Amino acid sequence: MSNTTVSATNAALVALRERIDALDTQMLALLNERARCAEEVAHTKLAEDPKAKFYRPEREAQILTRMQSLNQGPLRHEQITHLFREIIASCLALEESMRIAYLGPEGTFTQEATFKHFGLNVATQPVDSIPQVFREVEAGRVRYGVVPIENSTEGVITHTLDMFMQSGLRICGEISLRIHQNLMCRHANWQSVQKVYSHAQSLAQCRYWLDKNLPQAERIPVSSNAEAARLASLDDTAAAIGSRQAAPIYGLQIMQDSIEDNPNNTTRFLVIGDQVVSPSGNDRTSLLVSTRNRPGSLYHLLKPLAENGVDMTRIESRPSRTTNWEYSFFLDVRGHEQDAAIGGALEALRQEAEVVRVLGSYPVAVM
């Protein structure tokens, strides 16, 4: 390459770097202007209501959806969503300080989902069980909680459903997280491990990979993937399956990544609190319905939805725990409880069912 060509290349790089510096300066000024607007929102709300809440799931969903619709690349939609979530979270922190409880310990996928939704700088509190997440929110020790509700491969998490039968908390939001399972251990010779620790669902999500690559290893289910990582950190003959975040926390090396059998493996999480969420334009409503055990009871519960043109996306049954062989049904439908169609369906449902409770209307997760 000639000196002339090198000189031209260097000049082009200098020009590009100067342009990047100028853009960074503009972005910094705009970010701080946005932050000042957020502070003014806080002052305005507090002047009207000293107990005002600043976390607005429907507003955040509208912002993220709008940014994706305007995005022309080269950044992917998921990257735009991640960047704006952090911006929103940083501005929200200027308005109020929130603490979020999640199913712990540190290094679980629930922690990862919490940070995805609320930003990396939010104050968090890991707890030992799903019921404890509900109790922390009910007691007011935290503002919101995050719990898993279903996995696309292994199905619903029944412990979470059962808690809604006891608790008056509402669903304020949902989080969809792509689950990438990783094999981690203390040393590089992962093929020789004799035990693999993980949560039962994670073991199930990787069963074919384990059959092929570690057929000799005993599969030991434990309470969480973080607990699996802790146990593997104490044993050279063991490995753990879990989130990438768990490896540095417990001093492990990731030896094989993305070992899940289904590449589209996704877990859905719920944000729980005491907040009624306004419509966002793309919402989901969760219902708890129970009725006496009689011929055609399920048909009579579903008929009002069909007659009002309401699209049901999920139904699960759970024992009522009060009378043998009677069940409660959990339904997810498209739309918001303030929509006319859902309102009509709820009115008709209340004439058929013993119990009809709206668990929450909230924005559909933005990936």
Side-chain angles (χ1 to χ4, degrees), residues 85-214:
R85 278 196 189 281
E86 289 297 329
I87 292 170
I88 292 168
S90 297
C91 292
L92 180 61
L94 296 174
E95 298 176 297
E96 68 171 328
S97 176
M98 294 194 304
R99 179 172 292 275
I100 314 297
Y102 68 89
L103 178 61
E106 286 185 285
T108 61
F109 286 112
T110 312
Q111 182 191 41
E112 185 177 342
T114 302
F115 285 143
K116 176 183 178 181
H117 192 76
F118 288 100
L120 292 172
N121 294 314
V122 71
T124 58
Q125 180 175 322
V127 299
D128 295 335
S129 66
I130 289 172
Q132 186 63 31
V133 177
F134 278 78
R135 285 193 288 270
E136 291 298 306
V137 181
E138 289 167 343
R141 289 187 286 269
V142 299
R143 180 60 63 87
Y144 302 100
V146 176
V147 290
I149 184 62
E150 64 178 333
N151 175 264
S152 59
T153 302
E154 296 303 312
V156 72
I157 288 86
T158 56
H159 294 317
T160 299
L161 289 183
D162 291 342
M163 283 307 302
F164 283 112
M165 298 171 68
Q166 309 171 29
S167 174
L169 293 178
R170 289 179 63 95
I171 303 170
C172 304
E174 69 172 11
I175 310 158
S176 286
L177 183 69
R178 288 281 174 84
I179 301 298
H180 295 297
Q181 303 284 5
N182 305 279
L183 185 80
M184 57 193 81
C185 58
R186 291 175 59 175
H187 53 82
N189 189 19
W190 61 271
Q191 294 95 334
S192 67
V193 301
Q194 298 301 309
K195 292 172 282 189
V196 177
Y197 294 107
S198 195
H199 189 276
Q201 283 216 347
S202 294
L203 290 172
Q205 292 166 21
C206 303
R207 61 167 65 93
Y208 297 120
W209 189 95
L210 290 169
D211 287 345
K212 179 180 178 181
N213 295 279
L214 289 174

Side-chain angles (χ1 to χ4, degrees), residues 34 52 65 104 148 175 184 205 245 257 260 264 272 275 283 293-294 316 318 329 348 363:
R34 190 190 195 283
T65 301
I175 310 158
M184 57 193 81
Q205 292 166 21
Q245 286 77 7
D257 58 8
E260 64 277 2
N264 295 317
I272 56 172
Q275 183 172 348
D283 299 293
N293 186 14
R294 58 188 175 93
E316 300 284 345
R318 295 294 295 154
F329 296 92

Side-chain angles (χ1 to χ4, degrees), residues 205-332:
Q205 292 166 21
C206 303
R207 61 167 65 93
Y208 297 120
W209 189 95
L210 290 169
D211 287 345
K212 179 180 178 181
N213 295 279
L214 289 174
Q216 81 287 354
E218 180 185 4
R219 302 171 197 180
I220 304 175
V222 294
S223 59
S224 71
N225 292 333
E227 173 63 9
R230 187 189 71 80
L231 291 170
S233 73
L234 304 174
D235 188 349
D236 280 336
T237 70
I241 294 175
S243 72
R244 179 170 290 275
Q245 286 77 7
I249 293 173
Y250 297 96
L252 300 176
Q253 303 177 56
I254 293 179
M255 305 312 304
Q256 298 289 309
D257 58 8
S258 299
I259 66 171
E260 64 277 2
D261 298 323
N262 182 352
N264 295 317
N265 186 25
T266 302
T267 295
R268 180 173 165 236
F269 300 83
L270 299 178
V271 179
I272 56 172
D274 61 358
Q275 183 172 348
V276 176
V277 179
S278 299
S280 73
N282 183 24
D283 299 293
R284 192 190 315 277
T285 295
S286 295
L287 306 172
L288 169 61
V289 183
S290 63
T291 187
R292 292 186 302 273
N293 186 14
R294 58 188 175 93
S297 59
L298 182 57
Y299 165 78
H300 288 292
L301 291 181
L302 299 182
K303 183 181 177 183
L305 302 180
E307 289 180 340
N308 285 273
V310 175
D311 180 13
M312 184 180 69
T313 59
R314 184 173 69 94
I315 182 169
E316 300 284 345
S317 64
R318 295 294 295 154
S320 69
R321 300 195 171 192
T322 56
T323 305
N324 286 345
W325 318 122
E326 290 195 358
Y327 291 84
S328 295
F329 296 92
F330 292 85
L331 289 70
D332 283 346

Side-chain angles (χ1 to χ4, degrees), residues 10-23:
N10 288 339
L13 286 173
V14 168
L16 287 170
R17 288 166 183 159
E18 288 177 349
R19 185 178 175 194
I20 288 173
D21 289 344
L23 290 169

